[in-house]
Amino acid sequence: MARRAQPERTCVGCRGRAAKGVLIRVVRAPDGRVAVDPTGRSSGRGAYVHRSEECLRQAMRRGSLGRALKVSLGEAEVGRLVQELSNLVGEDA
Ligand SMILES: [Zn+2]
């Protein structure tokens, strides 16, 4: 156990708060491309969401992900992000 609590972030899907390490970062790169950022270190504007497809889809539906990243996300991009996320979830859920 670390002595200091991890910084908390709010999931843009369910609005729940969780330690940064629990959430997955979605980042808008300087070139405008939106991608899941497994390292949490990519440069660009980031938003956090639980490692669950449901939270990601909720974030898309509410438009909160697009708002957080200041980008408009099309259906194709949403599908790609869900796919990227589910690849990650498969790794260490
Ligand atoms: Zn969530």
Side-chain angles (χ1 to χ4, degrees):
M1 279 271 278
R3 285 177 60 198
R4 281 204 306 165
Q6 270 198 64
E8 285 199 333
R9 292 292 183 272
T10 302
C11 170
V12 291
C14 67
R15 312 299 297 169
R17 287 179 70 80
K20 216 174 143 184
V22 175
L23 302 168
I24 190 77
R25 186 168 180 253
V26 178
V27 70
R28 189 198 68 187
D31 67 2
R33 196 183 140 81
V34 176
V36 172
D37 171 23
T39 67
R41 291 190 184 86
S42 299
S43 64
R45 197 180 171 84
Y48 291 84
V49 67
H50 282 110
R51 288 171 182 253
S52 94
E53 183 176 331
E54 205 166 309
C55 280
L56 187 60
R57 287 206 179 274
Q58 203 179 344
M60 307 285 187
R61 264 201 314 275
R62 298 159 50 128
S64 48
L65 182 63
R67 256 198 317 279
L69 298 177
K70 299 197 188 299
V71 69
S72 70
L73 292 158
E75 195 53 45
E77 275 173 306
V78 171
R80 182 172 52 76
L81 288 171
V82 167
Q83 185 59 49
E84 284 183 28
L85 186 88
S86 58
N87 289 345
L88 287 173
V89 171
E91 271 168 31
D92 64 5

